[in-house]
Each structure stands twice: as structure tokens, then as C-alpha cells.
Amino acid sequence: MPVTKFSVEDRYSYHHGFGSYFESEAIKGALPIGANQPQRPPFGLYAEKFSGTAFTAPRSNNLQTWLYRVLPAASHQPFEPYVSLSKTSVYQKTYHIPNQLRWDPFDLDNEVDWTDSLHLVAVAGEPALKQGVGIMIFAAGKSMRDNEAFSSADGDFLIVLQHGVLDIQTEIGRILVRPNEICVIPRGVRYRVTLRYGSVRGYILELYQGHFQLPELGPIGSQGLANVRDFQIPVAAYDYDVKTEWHHITKFNGEFFIATQNHTPFDVVGWHGNYYPYKYDLGRFNTIGSVSYDHPDPSILNVLVAPSDQDGTPIAELVVFPPRWLVMEDTFRPPQFHRNAMSEFMGLIQGNYHGKAGGFQPSGASLHNVMSGHGPDYDTHRKASDEELHPVKVGEDSMAFMFETCHIMGITEWGLNGCNKVQKDYTKNSWESLYPLFKPPV
């Protein structure tokens, strides 16, 4: 069955369908009929339009949701700088280096919550101009405070959870995220992260520019890869609290700000639209591959893509390497040696990645920047060159992924030195031991 066997059962209900237009009510009759902003919305609620794109964006990619809530999001005191949180600033010193990089597993941290756990590792672009991407590592051991919410005005968070369980309460509804699931929280959505099952760790790609889409399937046809129906969107759920002091932390141009308000931000009783958070089980990915010869490009394993204005060259994309059969004849089956016009940041959720014999571990990472040569290490190349070929399933109980972007990534001080996880002998252990096999004809 194409679904992950999770150890924790999901406690919430969902709508299904990527990019679909939904309407959802926690109380029947909360949504007005026909009109979006009647003079007096049902039950005395406020109507609030939540736009993820410009008003005049084409219908094909226009994203907006109407919220019907107890109090509007504008009802808060002024934001003040929250200087104790600055590990995501895009203006910190970064290093643009062509070397291949690999990190040992990042440490768990039981002393911090979600907002304090975010560390920027690599960045390209600038959220103020809505250009580029940022890559973060998170590791937290505490729930956010009961009266605290977080959001990012900078971009969409694509969360790849490696360890633990995220119980996320959003304005739109509740989502439970487990390892082997991804979650996207769009720009501006307010949410709170609870850790009911202990510490968490994982990776985040923040998309400063545009929004994620499903990749075009071309000659594959009308189905395959990540299917539309398998994406899950929360249903409306609300709290009624107009007496407690709440704090809203927002990430704005890479810096943190905090505002106080006297009501919960999770008071949306009903909503309708197509701008919302969602999650997806990577175990449902429908893998496509070669059944004759040669290794296809990894673009055949795309889950989500954020297109640029240059056809076929994404700002960012999520690629996965799930369990799959390799049956190609007379073919070197691991990923080929290559240099790329894209930067590739890889992570490992669980298991072993068949393209590397060792050193690449769950919760670790690697970065091969634009035009940095890379490929299988010495041991993997030797084995794949000499083994007898027969149909084989690779990646059993494993899931690797890749954040790919067209930008050259700068590495932050924390990513290069502060985390103390960069493998100093990565290139030596991977490729310096390769030796010539060339035998010129006599």
C-alpha cells in the first residue's frame, strides 16, 4: 500500500486536493452565502480577506482565502523588535564558496521552542525584494508558550520533519506532521507548534518568491509523482478567547518582531479559498523511472516546484528519493557524476542513501553549489561498476530529499562554523581516492 506506516495516529480531519478551492465551517452557517463581506456576517464575525498573491494575479495562480473570525488580525499593539531571536537574518555574514559541503547530524536541543530553534544555514536572495530562498535547520524540545503565535512575512515555509511530531495549530485549522510527511505553511499564516511527543528536528526551505506548485507531467500523462488528491488541508477549527494576553512573533525581512494582543489569533470559525497550509505523505509518491537503460535526471522525482520566469529553471524544487525498483540494463545505476547549473542541498530523513556508501546520515545534510562537481563516492562507484545487474529495490525504509535552487547559495557563519558539524574530510573521503581506469588502445 503506497502510504507511510506512522507510529503516531493523526488526530485531525482534512480536506484533500492540492490547490483546490475549499470552504470549511467549524460552526454550520458561519460562511455567508453568495457575498464575501455582507454588512453583518453570520454570528457577529468579522470578514477578513487573506491574499497570498496580488489582487490582479491571473486566475490560474491567484491565491486568496476569506476568513470569518472573532476579531481581525489587525487588532494588536504595535510590533517591537525581538532582538533575542536573530538566527535567521539574511544580512548576517555569508560565505560563497565552491567547495562541496557535508554536515554530520545536527544536534537535538531540548531547551528551545520552535521560534528559537530556527537556524539559517544557507541563503540566496532577499525577502524584502521577494527574491530567492533560505534554508534553515530546526531542533526544538519545548512547545511554544500557550499564548504565543508565530508567522513569517518573508515567505512560504516548506518543512521536512526528520524526527518527532509537530502538532501545528494554524488560523486555518490544525495539522499533525510526522517524519516522512512534509508541510507547507504559506507566507503570513499564524500558527503555534506544540510538541506532544517530545523533541523535533528537521529542515526548512523558505521560499521568498512566489509559491509552490505541482510540477508539469508532460508525456508522463495525467497522473504520477505527487498526485493532487494526496495533499491534505486542515478543516476550520477555532478557539474563543478574548481575555488572555497573546504574543505574536513575526519574521519580517529576516528579523523577528513581537506584538501583544488581547485575543487568540486562532479564532477563525469559517473560511473559504485556496490559500492555506497543507501537508503530504512522501510515502504516497508515485515514482517514475527507466525500464530500459540509463539513469533519468532527478527532476523525474520532483514533488513541488516554484517556477521562475525562465522556463524549466525553478527558483526552488523539492526532490525525493523514495524506495524504488532499479531495473536498467547495462547501466551505472547510482546517480551519475555531474556538475549542475542548480545548487543542491540534500538531507536524509531516515535509512541510507544509495548514492553514498557512508558518511551521509539521517538529520545530516550536504550542499553542492552551482557547478560544484559531485556524484557517488569511491566505494559506491566501485560496487556499482562491478556488480551483477538484476532488478533490485533500493532505499527500503529510507527517504532522502533535495532542495534544489537556481541560485548560488551563501553559507552562514553558523552553517559553516557555529554548528560544528561540517565534515572536514568530505571531499577526501568521497572522491580524492578515485583513480584512473582509462586503458588506451594499444
Side-chain angles (χ1 to χ4, degrees):
M1 185 182 217
V3 62
T4 300
K5 295 180 180 178
F6 296 106
S7 59
V8 175
E9 185 176 355
D10 200 332
R11 55 198 289 167
Y12 303 126
S13 299
Y14 301 92
H15 301 291
H16 294 81
F18 185 92
S20 299
Y21 198 105
F22 296 106
E23 59 177 38
S24 190
E25 295 177 321
I27 298 177
K28 185 174 177 59
L31 296 180
I33 297 174
N36 292 317
Q37 47 185 12
Q39 186 178 16
R40 288 185 294 274
F43 306 122
L45 297 170
Y46 285 86
E48 179 180 277
K49 188 174 185 177
F50 186 31
S51 297
T53 55
F55 297 145
T56 53
R59 278 183 179 244
S60 60
N61 58 9
N62 196 303
L63 299 175
Q64 61 172 347
T65 291
W66 278 94
L67 309 175
Y68 299 89
R69 61 193 316 160
V70 177
L71 283 168
S75 178
H76 61 78
Q77 297 176 19
F79 280 98
E80 301 288 344
Y82 198 18
V83 294
S84 63
L85 299 177
S86 59
K87 292 172 278 192
T88 63
S89 174
V90 296
Y91 300 109
Q92 60 184 291
K93 181 176 177 58
T94 56
Y95 302 85
H96 292 81
I97 51 180
N99 293 331
Q100 308 96 328
L101 295 173
R102 188 161 70 185
W103 289 265
D104 285 327
F106 292 95
D107 294 331
L108 294 168
D109 189 343
N110 292 322
E111 302 304 316
V112 299
D113 67 3
W114 175 259
T115 55
D116 202 25
S117 76
L118 305 175
H119 285 84
L120 188 66
V121 175
V123 64
E126 189 172 342
L129 300 178
K130 294 187 177 180
Q131 294 178 347
V133 298
I135 296 174
M136 290 178 272
I137 297 295
F138 67 89
K142 295 181 178 179
S143 297
M144 293 175 62
R145 290 189 289 269
D146 290 342
N147 60 339
E148 192 172 83
F150 176 76
S151 68
S152 176
D154 292 344
D156 292 4
F157 270 33
L158 167 55
I159 302 168
V160 180
L161 181 66
Q162 185 273 325
H163 173 81
V165 177
L166 297 172
D167 194 328
I168 306 176
Q169 181 182 19
T170 80
E171 298 174 273
I172 305 298
R174 296 176 180 268
I175 304 179
L176 194 76
V177 184
R178 300 154 295 184
N180 228 43
E181 288 182 313
I182 61 167
C183 176
V184 174
I185 301 182
R187 181 195 307 267
V189 171
R190 298 176 180 185
Y191 63 98
R192 178 178 174 273
V193 176
T194 300
L195 307 184
R196 301 183 188 277
Y197 303 92
S199 58
V200 296
R201 179 175 54 197
Y203 316 80
I204 298 171
L205 172 67
E206 187 171 22
L207 178 64
Y208 304 147
Q209 184 174 352
H211 300 283
F212 290 104
Q213 303 175 9
L214 295 182
E216 298 295 340
L217 294 180
I220 292 175
S222 60
Q223 62 188 39
L225 308 186
N227 288 313
V228 171
R229 65 175 295 212
D230 292 324
F231 287 81
Q232 297 178 290
I233 296 89
V235 300
Y238 77 98
D239 293 335
Y240 183 69
D241 178 4
V242 293
K243 296 181 179 180
T244 304
E245 181 177 278
W246 278 77
H247 303 284
H248 172 210
I249 300 171
T250 189
K251 180 173 170 289
F252 193 87
N253 198 26
E255 304 293 344
F256 285 89
F257 295 81
I258 187 168
T260 301
Q261 60 189 58
N262 61 0
H263 59 98
T264 177
F266 306 117
D267 61 357
V268 176
V269 183
W271 60 268
H272 68 85
N274 61 356
Y275 190 57
Y276 40 64
Y278 54 88
K279 73 168 185 172
Y280 173 73
D281 172 11
L282 296 176
R284 301 190 181 202
F285 187 79
N286 182 209
T287 309
I288 306 294
S290 173
V291 294
S292 56
Y293 63 90
D294 277 356
H295 194 290
D297 290 331
S299 50
I300 203 71
L301 300 171
N302 276 5
V303 179
L304 294 170
V305 61
S308 70
D309 55 6
Q310 183 177 352
D311 286 347
T313 305
I315 300 160
E317 58 189 359
L318 172 66
V319 179
V320 295
F321 302 90
R324 61 202 181 278
W325 283 93
L326 299 182
V327 299
M328 302 88 79
E329 297 179 321
D330 193 21
T331 294
F332 181 79
R333 290 179 174 176
Q336 66 269 32
F337 291 104
H338 68 288
R339 290 173 292 162
N340 198 344
M342 310 287 284
S343 293
E344 300 178 354
F345 180 95
M346 284 197 65
L348 185 59
I349 299 172
Q350 59 188 23
N352 297 297
Y353 176 56
H354 81 284
K356 293 285 192 296
F360 186 46
Q361 303 172 57
S363 80
S366 67
L367 174 65
H368 302 138
N369 236 319
V370 169
M371 289 302 165
S372 296
H374 56 285
D377 57 26
Y378 169 78
D379 290 334
T380 301
H381 179 268
R382 183 179 60 181
K383 178 182 176 182
S385 299
D386 297 337
E387 66 184 353
E388 182 180 346
L389 295 181
H390 53 82
V392 60
K393 192 171 187 180
V394 299
E396 283 277 37
D397 301 318
S398 175
M399 183 66 72
F401 73 91
M402 181 166 67
F403 296 149
E404 191 168 52
T405 175
C406 60
H407 299 296
I408 293 177
M409 302 298 293
I411 316 303
T412 64
E413 175 65 30
W414 184 86
L416 192 62
N417 299 308
C419 67
N420 198 31
K421 295 297 179 182
V422 173
Q423 296 179 6
K424 304 302 183 184
D425 294 328
Y426 176 39
T427 56
K428 177 181 179 181
N429 294 336
S430 295
W431 302 295
E432 288 184 19
S433 55
L434 291 169
Y435 57 88
L437 301 174
F438 177 60
K439 297 178 181 180
V442 177

